[in-house]
């Protein structure tokens, strides 16, 4: 149970959705405590456009949108993962779609959405001294795209080059 994990002092709650058997039960006291104590909300979100989303998820989308608005209003840190590779709606390259979906569905700005899949997860994993942003001394893992993802998240889908540790991956 999420409340028990938060009470135990975890760093993050993975797949944080407050799902119940038949819906979503947003617990304000737990949300507030997560924000106050810095417990990171790690949410599984995103699918390729046009993919068939399981009905149990589709039925909860409005409640999930409300839940993430509550997390944001409380000031909780939210990061997004995808469960990439588990099935057709979530192939291994689904993460760039997540950025656009969080902007369209959850109301994040493109900058907030990009941070939620880069620098914030790096910090959560304690890799932020090497990963998650471009700065001197960092690992120089770079995704070069056509366009500006700060204004158009769809630019992430037009990859021109990938660099790992500063070296181009072919």
């Amino acid at each position: 149970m999420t409340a028990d994990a938060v009470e135990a002092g975890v760093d993050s709650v993975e797949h944080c959705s407050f799902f119940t058997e038949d819906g979503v039960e947003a617990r304000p006291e737990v949300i507030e405590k997560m924000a106050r104590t810095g417990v990171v909300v790690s949410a599984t979100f995103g699918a390729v456009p046009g993919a068939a989303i399981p009905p149990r998820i589709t039925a909860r989308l409005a409640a999930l949108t409300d839940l993430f608005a509550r997390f944001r209003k409380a000031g909780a840190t939210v990061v997004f993962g995808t469960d990439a590779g588990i099935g057709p709606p979530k192939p291994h390259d689904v993460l760039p779609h997540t950025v656009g979906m969080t902007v369209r569905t959850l109301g994040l700005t493109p900058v907030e959405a990009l941070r939620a899949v880069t620098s914030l997860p790096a910090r959560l994993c304690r890799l932020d001294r090497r990963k998650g942003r471009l700065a001197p001394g960092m690992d120089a893992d770079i995704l070069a795209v056509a366009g500006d993802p700060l204004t158009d998240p769809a630019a992430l889908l037009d990859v021109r080059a990938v660099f790992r540790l500063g070296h181009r991956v072919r």
Side-chain angles (χ1 to χ4, degrees):
M1 177 172 214
T2 301
D4 294 333
V6 172
E7 192 62 37
V10 298
D11 293 329
S12 68
V13 176
E14 304 300 311
H15 297 272
C16 189
S17 64
F18 288 87
F19 272 18
T20 63
E21 190 172 323
D22 58 354
V24 174
E25 182 186 334
R27 304 226 358 236
E29 72 283 0
V30 177
I31 292 169
E32 291 295 329
K33 185 166 187 176
M34 290 175 78
R36 188 175 62 254
T37 60
V39 175
V40 176
V41 175
S42 182
T44 304
F45 197 80
V48 293
I53 306 300
R56 72 183 199 293
I57 304 297
T58 303
R60 292 176 168 100
L61 284 178
L64 286 170
T65 300
D66 178 62
L67 174 65
F68 287 104
R70 289 176 184 226
F71 283 132
R72 290 180 71 207
K73 184 176 181 185
T77 299
V78 179
V79 300
F80 293 99
T82 63
D83 278 352
I86 66 166
K90 294 179 176 278
H92 288 288
D93 61 352
V94 72
L95 189 61
H97 295 285
T98 300
V99 175
M101 286 184 74
T102 60
V103 169
R104 288 187 309 276
T105 308
L106 303 178
L108 274 69
T109 67
V111 170
E112 290 171 326
L114 286 165
R115 285 183 181 139
V117 300
T118 57
S119 60
L120 294 175
R123 184 173 69 199
L124 174 62
C125 294
R126 295 183 178 90
L127 295 171
D128 54 322
R129 291 185 176 191
R130 297 184 3 242
K131 306 279 185 192
R133 57 192 176 92
L134 294 176
M138 301 294 274
D139 281 350
D141 296 339
I142 301 168
L143 180 70
V145 299
D148 181 0
L150 298 177
T151 58
D152 179 16
L156 295 171
L157 303 173
D158 192 359
V159 176
R160 299 300 171 98
V162 176
F163 295 84
R164 166 85 170 104
L165 297 172
H167 300 283
R168 188 170 186 158
V169 177
R170 302 230 177 247

